[in-house]
Amino acid sequence: MTETLTKLETADFINRSFRPLPRSYGDALIEAAKADERIVALCADLVPPTETDRFRDELPERFHNVGIAEANMIGMAGGMARSGEIPFCHSFCAFITKRVLDQITMQAAYPNLPVKIVGFLPGVATLLGVSHQAIEDVAALRAVPNMAIFEPSGPEYHAAVVRMALDWDGPAYLRMKRPGTAPPPFEPQSLEIGRGVIRRDGGNLTIISAGLCVTEALKASDTLSSEGIEAGVVDMASLKPIDEALIIERAKSTGAIVTAENHNIIGGLGSAVAEVLADAGIGLPFRRVGVRDRFCEGGTTPYLMNKFGLDAQAIAEAARDVVKRKG
């Protein structure tokens, strides 16, 4: 009897372990598509990892798996957009940006077409190493005119970034991360184009973060609070256009800023915030937390974020430094 129960318990554990994860992005996309017949989905042979399998199954006449051909996919999307459709193109971040920058520029951004580029596996968050890691994608696409860039911090914001992409009159890049495990129940949250979200207030400094680093910034804020340092945390999901007014207001009210991003410190969120401050003539203690201009090996996300200085510990250390320099 005990042996039988053990086998049943083992089978139940296996079933629960391999149960498909919730597809918060994929569900949001198909709900948007059911409400707007112009929306079509394209995928470069990465259907389950980009959460487009439900779209494929429920709206097959509006789904196109183009194979391992991201450049061709963007070209197709440009033609579809010129024909009145709204194409959402899917692949991994590294493949859908770096491999096809010319196609994105000339066939989507230059004609300012509503081509929505959706990348998964942002930054260092992959076991697959350098070939699959996108640590320069934000820098590249920030420099492309007409392009918007959105990076949600969790599944509660996935539906919001789909709506933002649709509201943006032109090409948009969505930098997505699938949860590694089933997330706890959540209420969908709203976002606005060009607006940051204050996730926590604090008067000693401000941590401006995006994507995976938002959770780490909140953890760092907890640690700092226990030391008597009150750190505000801003979720800057809209990387371009960025919330210049909020950056300036937080700089003036707290007098010190740390940025935290799952990306190279060159050209990403940290650079964008520094540009806003420099243009406004604001000088203050400032630190960038991110990949420090180097390539990264593959590994688990917590391991990589710790090794390359993107986690709560690194953010808290940078915060202590700017507060000390602030005096």
Side-chain angles (χ1 to χ4, degrees):
M1 184 66 175
T2 302
E3 182 180 358
T4 302
L5 288 174
T6 301
K7 287 180 178 179
L8 289 173
E9 290 168 353
T10 301
D12 179 63
F13 172 77
I14 292 172
N15 288 335
R16 286 186 286 109
S17 298
F18 288 92
R19 189 172 297 156
L21 293 172
R23 291 167 169 77
S24 48
Y25 164 75
D27 291 346
L29 179 62
I30 199 166
E31 293 309 313
K34 288 179 177 179
D36 188 338
E37 294 184 353
R38 297 174 298 168
I39 296 173
V40 295
L42 295 83
C43 187
D45 208 28
L46 289 167
V47 177
T50 60
E51 299 187 6
T52 51
D53 39 357
R54 185 182 166 202
F55 199 112
R56 173 200 62 195
D57 297 341
E58 297 188 25
L59 297 173
E61 71 284 358
R62 290 156 63 187
F63 177 80
H64 311 277
N65 190 344
V66 307
I68 305 173
E70 284 84 358
N72 289 344
M73 178 169 65
I74 298 299
M76 291 170 59
M80 291 175 171
R82 288 181 183 274
S83 302
E85 295 180 310
I86 303 175
F88 279 70
C89 303
H90 300 82
S91 186
F92 290 153
C93 292
F95 303 161
I96 205 167
T97 58
K98 297 187 292 182
R99 286 185 177 179
V100 296
L101 183 59
D102 186 59
Q103 284 78 13
I104 289 171
T105 300
M106 299 309 301
Q107 299 183 45
Y110 176 59
N112 200 27
L113 295 171
V115 174
K116 315 306 178 182
I117 300 162
V118 187
F120 285 76
L121 296 187
V124 302
T126 172
L127 293 164
L128 300 175
V130 173
S131 63
H132 286 61
Q133 286 169 337
I135 59 171
E136 59 280 273
D137 52 327
V138 174
L141 292 190
R142 275 186 65 227
V144 176
N146 296 329
M147 181 66 65
I149 305 174
F150 307 128
E151 182 173 13
S153 57
E156 66 272 25
Y157 292 103
H158 285 181
V161 296
V162 171
R163 175 48 50 193
M164 290 165 71
L166 290 168
D167 288 343
W168 180 256
D169 186 20
Y173 174 42
L174 278 57
R175 200 171 191 250
M176 309 296 292
K177 173 69 171 69
R178 294 189 71 194
T181 58
F186 61 82
E187 289 292 327
Q189 301 296 308
S190 62
L191 291 170
E192 295 181 45
I193 294 171
R195 298 290 299 274
V197 177
I198 298 176
R199 298 285 295 272
R200 182 167 298 168
D201 207 357
N204 296 125
L205 78 147
T206 300
I207 304 169
I208 301 176
S209 51
L212 287 177
C213 285
V214 173
T215 297
E216 299 302 315
L218 291 168
K219 292 178 184 176
S221 182
D222 287 338
T223 299
L224 293 164
S225 182
S226 69
E227 302 170 9
I229 300 172
E230 297 303 327
V233 176
V234 171
D235 183 343
M236 196 62 79
S238 183
L239 295 170
K240 183 190 177 188
I242 201 165
D243 194 340
E244 297 184 9
L246 181 59
I247 293 169
I248 292 169
E249 185 279 321
R250 295 301 299 184
K252 291 180 177 179
S253 64
T254 64
I257 286 180
V258 169
T259 61
E261 60 191 308
N262 178 25
H263 186 272
N264 195 334
I265 58 169
I266 297 173
L269 173 63
S271 293
V273 172
E275 290 161 11
V276 172
L277 296 172
D279 283 346
I282 298 174
L284 78 175
F286 180 83
R287 281 278 301 273
R288 294 169 296 163
V289 172
V291 178
R292 305 202 70 80
D293 197 24
R294 60 178 296 185
F295 292 109
C296 311
E297 76 265 20
T300 64
T301 300
Y303 169 79
L304 293 172
M305 293 189 76
N306 175 262
K307 177 169 182 177
F308 295 102
L310 315 180
D311 62 1
Q313 179 179 337
I315 297 170
E317 181 181 350
R320 295 184 192 102
D321 175 64
V322 296
V323 169
K324 181 180 179 180
R325 287 193 280 136
K326 173 185 170 183

